[in-house]
Structure formats: structure tokens, C-alpha cells
Amino acid sequence: MDLCQSTIHQAAELLRRREVSSVELTRAVLDRIEKVDSRVRAFVTITEDMALEQAKEADRRISDGTAALLTGIPAAIKDNMCTRGIRTTCSSRMLENFVPPYDATVVERLHAAGMVMVGKTNMDEFAMGSSNEHSAFFPTYNPWDLSRVPGGSSGGSAVSVATDATIYAIGSDTGGSIRQPAGFCSVVGLKPTYGRVSRYGLVAFASSLDQIGPLTKDVTDCALVMNVIAGHDSRDSTSLPYPVPDYTESLVPDLKGVRLGVPKEYFVEGMQPEVAQAIRSATVVLEELGATVDWDVSLPHTRYGLAAYYIIAPSEASANLARYDGVKYGFSVKEAENMWDAMEKTKGNGFGPEVKRRIMLGTYALSAGYYDAYYLKALRVRTLIRREFEEALKTVDALVTPTSPTVPFKIGEKLDDPIQMYLSDVCTLPINIAGVPGISVPAGFADGLPIGMQIIGRPLGEEVLLRVAYAYEQATDWHKRKPPL
Amino acid sequence: MKLSREEVKHLALLVRLGINEEETERFREQLSNILENFQILQQVDTTDVPPTAHAIALENVLREDEPGSSLPVVDVLANAPSQEEGYFMVRAVLE
């Protein structure tokens, strides 16, 4: 096996036994990036020199006995998390040359654990999109079929993991942006409970929905990364002040006594039959592992999730993105008649089409005369959706659904049809609306294209998700397949 | 739910977002279509249902008011499009 193909736990074992050094491991990953990135375009910035410096430092820590489990392991960070001294673009012209003066809390925690950062990954501009086609720089390509999208908005992070161009990656998820690309690329992606991971230093898109989480090669790695990034942060007042368990304790290979439910509303109209079939087959495996599966769970307001989400998220975005006025940082147009003209030109030229569309949509929903009918109505529907999850998760421990209604679609296929693009998040966005955790794990293929299974839990129910995901993974081989690159 | 070009231009003005004629027409069409689809929400009975702003709500998040260090001014200004003597330069607000 090539070193770059290692999982975190495999690489950590090799480092601990001194069979390889972090510099060798990092070199292997950087060589892999060199080999594949021109074809898949997962990275906006590759931080080769810094990575090798960090690897040397990690080797020093390993030899003097002060290493942590993640010490010396290469990682890729989505380009919407602030990295001190390394530009953080959000894949937008607006922040193309922005170099943050501080690290996001997640980045700070990973650095303290000895991360070797190999680069910043491509994404839909400001995390608004489901295909990575909305990057202002270039699209990212799905390694399973280069004519297809990798999903989004954490598409670069998912592709870097799937192609062994990193050992693990960090993404963010506002309506499915970790899980949907994880499903499309056949890797593991977890969106934790809202507030479980600090958002400090994450460039804000929709603050009541945004959450950071890991994208990894297997479920064990997901637990290992969560052990480092989860926890309270006084710099994020929405971060939850509850103790963090050792997530690796959830990794047991059977599901005796676990009650699972399959909500029928998630098998939506227009769902690809192979996707529905893959999830049905997966539930058989879950039953064989000891779980009970209830097929009568119902979440009747699911059908309103899409509309509620695409009112709430753009409304919050239209407020959050008002800060890009060309004064304090970011793109700035100087040739203008006056202050207002400068601001209009800065935003008009700095933002791409999808970001503009959402700013306009959110502004509409918040504007006088429409606030009650759209924004407030969406927040009330949000309550109903949240309550429905609460009710359903009283009788079962976790819910099982497809991650996406289809396998990865063709590049360009939905680019000019916003509604069709938004529908690709239909199975993932209710989870953000309710604030509960969700994980996507590899669950099969249709004509060589990946299918993801989503497992949804109670608030702070990450341990149950990891247990179900781990047991399923141990009983199947999907996660071991590599894209034909 | 058909938006007019004037409504689209008014929205852009509210957020000071510069859009050209072509974008105005495209957004008019797309936003009208999106809002049409979102009419589905009006079917939901939300009588006596309170709004949820945060799904996992925390109340009265307090901490000790302790002085800490701020970022160095020079680092903060490093990204400024224009600056002078340790300040951000802005255009005249009143002309």
C-alpha cells in the first residue's frame, strides 16, 4: 500500500512505531497531490513548504514523546476556515487575497494536536452550492467520473480524501455541504450537532445552520478527529458547554439493542431507484448486525424543508455578507463616483452569480411587507420540523436515509437551474434545520458512481451515529474501493 | 409570484449590490420561479407555532469580563484596501 492511502489510525501507528517519519508521510501525500490535483482540482492553495516544516516539528515531538495521536498526520482544510498567514479565499474573488491574522478555533486545536496542513480546499463560493461549480476559480471534478461533480460545498475536501491527496480533511455543512460531497465521493463525512464544534474563524454563511466537521477515509478516523475538534469555545457563544466523550469508545462492531427508523418521506419523488435499493440493502445489513428497523417512521413536514431552508439560509447570508463593503479587507473597487457607488461596484464585481442570487433572495424574504410571509413563516415551519425529529427520535435511536436522491450528476447539468440544484440537498438540509447530527457513509455504487447512506441522531447523539456507521462499515467493503485515477 | 424589474432593482439597492441589466432580468426570472415554488409553505398551518431562530438554543451565555490581548493593529490593517496612519481609509460619507 502506498503511504498516502493510509487512514489516520494506520498512519499514526506507523509513526508511533517509527516505521515512517512524518516528513516521509507528508512527502508521499504531496507527491500524490502533484500527481492527481491537475485532474481533480481539489486545492485552492497547496502549502508544501509549511507542511514539510510542520512535519519536521512533528517528528521532533514524536521522538521526544510529546506527540498526540494526530501529530504528524497531513490534513486539508476547507478554504472558508481562517488560517493565520495562509490566504483564506472562500473560493471567491471577494477574498482572493485575504490573509487572516488569526486561526479558526478548529485550526488552532488541530495545530495544537500536531497537524501537518497540506493545503486549503476548493468549495462553492462562500459555501453556497452543491456541486463546487460555483467556485469563482475553477470547478473540482469527481474522481469516480471526471465529467461529474464532486458535490458541494466541501467538494474539494471530499475529493482530497477520496484521492488520497490528504489523510483527512475538514469541511463545513450548512445544508449538506459535508455529507452530500462525502456521499458523492464515497468517503465518511460528519455534520455534528449544531454547537458541538466551534464556528469561531469559520467565514459565516448562515450562522444558525453552519457547522464544521470531519471528512475521512473511515469511521474510526472520523471519531479521532472529533476527539480533537469538538468542545466548548468561549469565542463562539453558540458553542455547547457540555463535556466531550471519547468518540472511539462508540466504535463497536455490533448493533444489539439499537433501534433504527427509516422515514418514508426521504424516498422522494425523482429518487434514483438504485439509490433507494442501496439503502434498503444497507438496512438488511444493519438488521443482521442486531439493530431493529422500523419502516413506519414518518416526518410529514419533510416536504417543506427545502423551501424553509432556502428562505432561512439566504436571509442569514444576506445579513452576514453585508460586511464585504471593500473597506476593512477583501476586494475593493476604487474607481467610483462616491461611497455608495464604490460599495455597489465592490459587491457587484466581487461576488459570483449564486452568492448574488442568495443575497437577493434573502433580502426579499427579510424586506418590509414580506418578512412575515416568508422569513417568519419559515422559522415557524422550522419549529415543526425540529419537533418532528424530536418525536421520531424518542422511539428510535437513529434514522437512516439516503444522503442524496441521486448519484453524482454531470458538470453543467444543473448550473442554470437553481431549483434543480437546490433539490440535491433535499435529504440533508432538514438535519441542519433541526440542528441534529448526521453522518454520511459509503453504501454502494450504481454504474461505478458512489451512493451515500445518511444516519441521523439526537442532539449530541454523535456516539450513536458513529456506532451505527462503524458497525456497518466493518460489515461492508464499500469504503475500501478507490476511484480509478 | 412575478417580480418586476423595478422590484429586483430595489432589492439590489437595499443591499448595495451592483447588478447590470442582464443580471436584473435573469434574477427577475429566477427569483420569481424560486418564490413561486416556496408558496408551498403557505399550506402549512403554523397557528400557535413559535418561530425557531436557533435549533439548539442557549440562553444567557455569560462569561467573566476579563481583559485579554487584541490582534496587533499592523496585522489587522494588513488586509485593508487602503489605510493611513493606523486607520482604515474610507470614502467621504457626506459630500
Side-chain angles (χ1 to χ4, degrees):
Chain A
M1 183 182 80
D2 196 314
L3 261 185
C4 65
Q5 295 185 354
S6 318
T7 60
I8 295 174
H9 53 97
Q10 289 166 341
E13 184 61 16
L14 293 172
L15 291 173
R16 194 186 61 79
R17 294 207 306 250
R18 315 280 173 87
E19 283 178 32
V20 296
S21 67
S22 173
V23 170
E24 287 167 325
L25 176 65
T26 304
R27 195 67 260 173
V29 167
L30 290 168
D31 287 348
R32 180 67 181 166
I33 294 175
E34 172 78 31
K35 192 160 168 238
V36 297
D37 201 55
S38 59
R39 280 176 286 166
V40 293
R41 309 299 311 267
F43 288 90
V44 172
T45 304
I46 297 163
T47 49
E48 177 163 347
D49 295 345
M50 199 195 71
L52 289 167
E53 280 305 309
Q54 289 169 349
K56 277 184 209 157
E57 170 64 17
D59 283 329
R60 196 189 56 70
R61 277 179 72 173
I62 291 164
S63 67
D64 71 15
T66 58
L69 201 132
L70 291 188
T71 302
I73 314 267
I77 307 288
K78 187 177 181 180
D79 211 17
N80 62 347
M81 282 166 243
C82 286
T83 42
R84 187 159 59 89
I86 306 292
R87 72 181 183 140
T88 297
T89 68
C90 279
S91 292
S92 177
R93 295 282 168 223
M94 191 59 91
L95 291 175
E96 193 168 3
N97 300 306
F98 173 63
V99 180
Y102 67 94
D103 278 326
T105 295
V106 163
V107 173
E108 195 177 81
R109 281 171 174 253
L110 288 168
H111 275 317
M115 164 175 67
V116 171
M117 191 180 85
V118 292
K120 301 294 293 288
T121 58
N122 196 24
M123 51 187 281
D124 288 292
E125 183 176 4
F126 281 97
M128 298 179 194
S130 316
S131 70
N132 261 47
E133 292 167 286
H134 291 304
S135 166
F137 307 140
F138 43 79
T140 297
Y141 300 90
N142 192 309
W144 296 92
D145 176 347
L146 295 172
S147 70
R148 292 176 190 268
V149 304
S153 64
S154 309
S157 287
V159 170
S160 68
V161 174
T163 57
D164 299 310
T166 184
I167 304 298
Y168 68 99
I170 302 294
S172 69
D173 187 316
T174 303
S177 283
I178 289 173
R179 293 158 289 155
Q180 186 251 23
F184 275 12
C185 295
S186 203
V187 300
V188 174
L190 171 69
K191 183 207 85 78
T193 306
Y194 180 78
R196 180 77 288 193
V197 177
S198 169
R199 293 182 295 110
Y200 179 78
L202 170 70
V203 177
F205 157 19
S207 304
S208 82
L209 303 161
D210 297 340
Q211 183 60 197
I212 293 172
L215 291 113
T216 56
K217 296 177 188 177
D218 67 14
V219 177
T220 303
D221 281 6
C222 181
L224 292 171
V225 177
M226 280 300 286
N227 276 354
V228 174
I229 64 173
H232 182 250
D233 177 13
S234 58
R235 293 175 295 190
D236 172 3
S237 64
T238 61
S239 109
L240 298 172
Y242 309 119
V244 178
D246 176 358
Y247 290 108
T248 60
E249 286 177 8
S250 311
L251 307 177
V252 290
D254 78 75
L255 296 176
K256 285 188 189 69
V258 176
R259 300 165 303 170
L260 301 173
V262 183
K264 47 179 169 283
E265 291 82 3
Y266 278 69
F267 293 82
V268 291
E269 203 183 318
M271 175 164 286
Q272 201 174 323
E274 293 94 328
V275 173
Q277 187 49 49
I279 302 308
R280 279 189 211 105
S281 305
T283 59
V284 175
V285 175
L286 295 169
E287 280 177 325
E288 284 166 5
L289 288 162
T292 56
V293 179
D294 180 352
W295 287 85
D296 289 325
V297 176
S298 178
L299 299 165
H301 285 90
T302 300
R303 60 192 297 247
Y304 305 109
L306 184 91
Y309 176 86
Y310 277 99
I311 289 171
I312 296 167
S315 294
E316 294 186 21
S318 74
N320 274 326
L321 271 59
R323 72 190 65 175
Y324 300 100
D325 54 9
V327 173
K328 295 182 288 301
Y329 50 85
F331 178 76
S332 183
V333 173
K334 297 202 167 86
E335 298 74 30
E337 288 166 27
N338 55 41
M339 181 191 73
W340 296 118
D341 188 39
M343 211 180 274
E344 282 172 18
K345 284 183 172 148
T346 292
K347 293 182 185 190
N349 292 299
F351 290 137
E354 180 63 21
V355 174
K356 287 185 191 176
R357 190 151 46 231
R358 295 209 195 180
I359 290 174
M360 296 284 282
L361 185 57
T363 304
Y364 181 86
L366 292 174
S367 61
Y370 301 104
Y371 181 90
D372 284 5
Y374 287 94
Y375 183 65
L376 207 55
K377 183 77 181 179
L379 292 189
R380 292 185 201 282
V381 172
R382 183 179 195 178
T383 304
L384 295 172
I385 291 172
R386 180 172 58 80
R387 284 179 184 167
E388 226 163 66
F389 274 104
E390 261 169 38
E391 276 307 306
L393 289 162
K394 275 180 188 162
T395 53
V396 296
D397 300 306
L399 299 164
V400 174
T401 77
T403 303
S404 304
T406 67
V407 296
F409 46 89
K410 290 270 187 188
I411 288 171
E413 189 182 325
K414 303 183 185 209
L415 198 53
D416 296 321
D417 189 344
I419 293 275
Q420 281 307 311
M421 185 71 90
Y422 297 169
L423 273 167
S424 66
D425 295 333
V426 72
C427 299
T428 47
L429 50 82
I431 284 72
N432 300 72
I433 291 177
V436 295
I439 192 171
S440 178
V441 291
F445 291 83
D447 292 330
L449 296 170
I451 296 169
M453 170 168 69
Q454 176 175 240
I455 308 161
I456 305 158
R458 301 181 188 115
L460 298 175
E462 282 83 359
E463 290 160 284
V464 177
L465 302 194
L466 290 167
R467 179 174 173 192
V468 176
Y470 179 78
Y472 178 74
E473 179 186 86
Q474 295 307 300
T476 53
D477 286 331
W478 309 119
H479 65 290
K480 291 180 185 156
R481 290 205 200 172
K482 295 284 182 187
L485 258 191
Chain B
M1 207 53 243
K2 284 271 172 274
L3 291 179
S4 67
R5 292 174 69 87
E6 286 61 41
E7 283 174 295
V8 173
K9 285 182 176 168
H10 175 67
L11 286 175
L13 181 69
L14 285 175
V15 278
R16 303 289 167 181
L17 178 66
I19 54 170
N20 58 32
E21 288 302 315
E22 190 212 324
E23 288 174 308
T24 305
E25 181 51 30
R26 196 167 61 240
F27 288 145
R28 192 194 62 74
E29 215 173 283
Q30 290 175 339
L31 294 179
S32 298
N33 184 27
I34 291 168
L35 292 167
E36 184 75 38
N37 273 274
F38 291 179
Q39 287 302 317
I40 187 177
L41 286 185
Q42 305 310 324
Q43 300 170 7
V44 188
D45 181 4
T46 52
T47 319
D48 299 328
V49 178
T52 293
H54 271 84
I56 315 285
L58 295 170
E59 281 172 24
N60 297 334
V61 177
L62 302 174
R63 61 167 172 77
E64 291 304 313
D65 188 13
E66 288 166 345
S69 54
S70 300
L71 290 168
V73 171
V74 60
D75 290 2
V76 173
L77 285 173
N79 284 294
S82 51
Q83 52 165 305
E84 198 175 297
E85 295 176 19
Y87 292 96
F88 292 106
M89 281 269 282
V90 294
R91 283 174 169 272
V93 177
L94 300 169
E95 295 189 68

